Amino acid sequence: MNEADVKNLLSQYRASIDNIDAALVHMLAERFRCTQAVGVLKATHGLPPADPAREQTQIARLRRLADEAQLDPDFAEKFLNFIIREVIRHHEAIAASSNGTENSAASSGGQQTS
Ligand SMILES: C=C(O[C@@H]1C=C(C(=O)O)C=C[C@H]1O)C(=O)O
C-alpha cells in the first residue's frame, strides 16, 4: 500500500469515527434528558437519587451485551458506572433544589448548569 492509499484509508476510518462520536453525543444527550426527568420525578415523590438494585441489573445486562459484541465487559461496566455516577450527582442536585419541580428536564433541556 503506498502513502496516498494509507492516507486515504486513514481518512475513511476517521470519517466513520467522527460519525460514531456524533451519534454517541446525541445518544448521551437523549439519555441525560430522560434521566433528568427521572430525577425530577424522584425528587417530587421523595424517592432516593440512586437505585443500586437497578444499577446491578443494568451492569449485568450490559456486560452480557458487551461480551456478545466483542467489547471488553470490564470497559462496558466502567463506562456505565461513569455515566450513572454523573446521573446520581444530577439527581442529588435536583433533590437539593427546592422540591425538584423548578429544575425540570423540560426547562433545562436535560443539561446540568452547576
Ligand atoms: C435513572 C435512574 O437513577 C439512577 C441512575 C441510573 C442510570 O443512569 O441508569 C440507574 C439507577 C439509578 O441509580 C433510575 O433510577 O432509573
Side-chain angles (χ1 to χ4, degrees), residues 64-73:
R64 266 198 318 276
L65 290 173
D67 197 39
E68 285 166 20
Q70 275 95 55
L71 178 72
D72 179 0

Side-chain angles (χ1 to χ4, degrees), residues 13-108:
Y13 284 136
R14 285 181 173 171
S16 283
I17 290 167
D18 287 346
N19 282 344
I20 292 164
D21 288 347
L24 278 175
V25 165
H26 286 121
M27 286 191 288
L28 279 173
E30 280 307 302
R31 192 184 198 281
F32 275 96
R33 213 187 304 279
C34 285
T35 56
Q36 286 295 105
V38 169
V40 172
L41 189 67
K42 285 179 171 179
T44 308
H45 296 277
L47 296 169
D51 184 340
R54 160 83 174 146
E55 291 170 29
Q56 284 317 303
T57 305
Q58 288 167 279
I59 287 164
R61 175 172 174 265
L62 223 72
R63 288 188 67 93
R64 266 198 318 276
L65 290 173
D67 197 39
E68 285 166 20
Q70 275 95 55
L71 178 72
D72 179 0
D74 290 343
F75 171 76
E77 179 171 348
K78 272 189 247 169
F79 182 64
L80 184 64
N81 269 326
F82 179 70
I83 294 169
I84 290 175
R85 295 284 80 79
E86 181 68 6
V87 170
I88 291 170
R89 200 177 66 78
H90 291 183
H91 286 186
E92 287 167 348
I94 293 167
S97 75
S98 67
N99 62 5
T101 53
E102 284 163 21
N103 189 8
S104 77
S107 66
S108 70

